[in-house]
Amino acid sequence: MTKQEFVDAVAHKTGMTKRDAGTAVDAFLDVVEGALKAGETVTFTGFGKFHTTRRKEREGVNPRNPSQKVHIPAANVPKFSAGSQLKKAVN
């Protein structure tokens, strides 16, 4: 599902216009992004949790030249953990 398909589904489900649904989806994404940038966790009980973790720096391998080692710097990476209700719904 693309972002536009998601916006269309939200508009259909809520009765909002596609423009209003797009604005709401963009606002949701901005809030989640801002919270993760600030190091916060966003939790929706039953649905899941968005959070960040610190990935340590490490040595990698250049896929074009497997004998060449590449340094990969440390980074903060976003993660999502599915909640129990979402797991049940998918199964």
Side-chain angles (χ1 to χ4, degrees):
M1 176 179 277
T2 65
K3 181 179 176 183
Q4 188 58 51
E5 292 169 340
F6 184 76
V7 168
D8 292 344
V10 169
H12 178 72
K13 185 125 180 138
T14 63
M16 299 170 79
T17 65
K18 288 183 182 182
R19 174 174 276 179
D20 289 343
T23 301
V25 169
D26 287 339
F28 169 79
L29 295 174
D30 289 343
V31 170
V32 171
E33 181 180 325
L36 294 178
K37 280 183 182 178
E40 298 175 14
T41 299
V42 180
T43 304
F44 297 99
T45 304
F47 180 77
K49 177 172 74 169
F50 296 93
H51 60 283
T52 58
T53 58
R54 184 77 177 158
R55 184 184 297 161
K56 295 189 274 185
E57 64 179 43
R58 62 194 191 280
E59 286 287 320
V61 177
N62 182 348
R64 291 187 178 169
N65 182 3
S67 63
Q68 181 184 13
K69 300 294 181 190
V70 179
H71 173 66
I72 302 170
N76 289 324
V77 293
K79 300 278 185 165
F80 176 76
S81 302
S84 59
Q85 290 176 352
L86 180 59
K87 288 178 183 178
K88 285 180 185 177
V90 171
N91 287 327

